[in-house]
Every structure is written in C-alpha cells, then in structure tokens.
Amino acid sequence: MANHRKKFIDLLDKAMAAADMMDREDLLFSYKGILFPTTMCSPETFKALESFEARSEDVILAGYPKSGTNWVGQILNNLVTTAAENNEDETNSLNDKELEEFPYLEVGDPEKYQRMEKLSSRRVIFTHLLPQNLPESIFKNKAKILVLVRNPKDVATSFYYFNNGMSTYPSYETWDEFFTAFMTGKMPGGSYFDHICEWSKHDDDENVMTLTYEELKENRAWGVKKIAEFLGLLLTEEQLQAVVEGSSFQAMKAKSQKTHGGVGNILFRKGGVNDWKTLFNEDQNQEMDKTFEERLARTKLGAKIKYEVYCKT
Ligand code: A3P
C-alpha cells in the first residue's frame, strides 16, 4: 500500500477510536465561529496554519465537505504522479514516501506545516476551509486552486449519511433534525451557503478553476482533461484514459478498503445525482429553494450549480 494511504488510514482509525470514547456534545469545537471535529483539528493547528508557506506549484483542492473531494483528489494525484513519470522536471510530494502528510491542510498536529516544508513540489493539498480562513500565502503566492462544488440537496443528503456513519461526527436521530442543522450552518466545516458565496468571490481569479460534481459525473473524460490543462500537466491520451477509468465510482469503491480502510464503506455510498429525492419532503424542498434563491442564485458558483436542473422535483 502506498505510504501516504497508510498514514491517511492510521490517522482516521485513531480519530475514530478517540471519538468512540467521547460524548456527542464534545465531538465538535468552534474556531472563528465554525465547527470542526475535535479528534482531527485543534485551535493550535489553526494557529500554526497561519504561517504555512504556500508555493506557486501547489495545487489546492477546496470545497465544502461531501462535494466529491476524495474523488477529485484521486484524479489530481493520479494526474500529477503520471505527469512526473513522463517528465523528470515534474516532481511531486507523493513520491516523498516517508514525509507525506494527511492530505487535508487543516487536519493534524501543529508541527505538520514545518514538516510540509520538506515536501517536494507539487504538493496536492485538500481543504474544507473558507477562503478567508486559508493562509494568505496561498493567494499571495498564486497556488493553483481547484474549487469543487456540488448541488446543496445532494451535499446535505451525503452529509447526513456520513455524519451518521462516522463516529468523529455527531450523528442525528432523524433526517429532519439534520436538515435544520444543515440549513443553519451548524455543520462541521460551517455553512454550505457561506462556502459557495465566499468561493464565488474568487471565481475570476487567474489561479482558480471551478468544477462541479455534476459536470464531472456527466463527462469524466472531459473533466480529467480540463484539470490536466489547468495544471499544465502533459499526459498521453492513453494515460488520461487510465486516470478516467480508475476514477469511476465502481473502481474507487472496489479499492476503498485499501485506499480508505474502514471509512471506505461509509464514504463511497451512492456516488450519484438526485439521491436527495429519497429524503427531502415538500416543506424542505421549498425551504432549500427559497434559501438558494435568496443567497446563491445570483452568485457565480450558484449559477454553475445549475439548481434548476439538479435540484427541482
Ligand atoms: P454520496 O454520499 O452521495 O454517495 P467527499 O469526498 O467530499 O467526502 O464526497 C463524498 C461523496 O462523493 C459521496 O457521495 C461519494 O459517494 C462521492 N464519490 C466518491 N467517489 C466518487 C466517484 N468516483 N464518482 C462519483 N461520486 C463519488
């Protein structure tokens, strides 16, 4: 197993074991008004993060939880490692086997950022943080940022099952109870609506590209190519095709025990569009429609979500 996957699985296993011993109300803590899982993040790590020095070669995958981060993360990692096989000038941190860190920027111990300085470029880094809570160097040094968005109804549905499956997150007795927490932003990672609003402000930045879960689902080959172009990575058609095939939901689910350990079964759930129809009642549909219209319909990312196509009954 690749070393970075082992570290990933070990950290998750430890976090889940610690969470099993905790009371529900202690599972999350608040930092700058946003909730985070106690077993994975800490105020000390957030403080240390301020001094993180980004590089222009870094690739930051940013998005709200449950938008498909693990999916696009695998595509990114595969593109970056394959490009490095083609071109000796193109290196990446995934080959620094002993050094590789848990991929989420905000997860881990405060010394993590010093260790990350030793990693080769390119570093592929995931984050669920709002842009204003990211270290300034990411924008100043023009790291490439891939912003991933997914329609709010499928995000809420995915998050509901994930919260109930992962011991590191508080579970909910009913979908209705979860829906209220989601709509009021009392979620690990904060409010979905704030995320879309805030990332919309960066949509025109030259170093930012936005991708939606739904467009990737409709045409993975197109999406993989678009990401490679954005990063200026050179791969042959066959190599691109291998990345496309390896990133189908079925392929990733089949390997999930190896890549994600016990979390694999919880994470690779349905991998589709429209599962929200099994949970949302009429009132909840109306409430989401109204909130989307008021808060997101006129934002840049709000338009890219194609709410009329993916979220209307
Ligand atoms: P569902 O719960 O709707 O199935 P994240 O990685 O940000 O936590 O997002 C998890 C969601 O992405 C889950 O959605 C998961 O099934 C989906 N996903 C993971 N890999 C995928 C793939 N290869 N194709 C489509 N969806 C995928």
Side-chain angles (χ1 to χ4, degrees), residues 99-116:
L99 295 172
E100 183 58 26
E101 293 285 334
F102 195 80
Y104 289 82
L105 187 62
E106 59 272 25
V107 174
D109 61 276
E111 283 76 44
K112 155 178 193 168
Y113 308 110
Q114 280 167 10
R115 294 194 301 273
M116 283 180 79

Side-chain angles (χ1 to χ4, degrees), residues 66-71 150 158 213 247 249 267 269-271:
K66 313 322 294 171
S67 300
T69 321
N70 287 272
W71 181 20
R150 187 181 188 187
S158 179
Y213 179 100
S247 59
F249 180 73
L267 189 102
R269 196 184 60 88
K270 290 224 164 147

Side-chain angles (χ1 to χ4, degrees), residues 63-72 75 104 128 148 150 154-155 157-159 161-162 213 216-217 220 246-253 260 266-273 275:
Y64 191 75
K66 313 322 294 171
S67 300
T69 321
N70 287 272
W71 181 20
V72 177
I75 292 174
Y104 289 82
H128 291 319
L148 178 63
R150 187 181 188 187
D154 279 326
V155 165
T157 303
S158 179
F159 219 171
Y161 289 111
F162 196 67
Y213 179 100
L216 188 63
K217 186 79 197 165
R220 225 164 54 249
S247 59
S248 72
F249 180 73
Q250 291 74 10
M252 287 188 68
K253 191 175 171 66
H260 289 73
I266 306 165
L267 189 102
F268 297 94
R269 196 184 60 88
K270 290 224 164 147
V273 176
D275 196 37

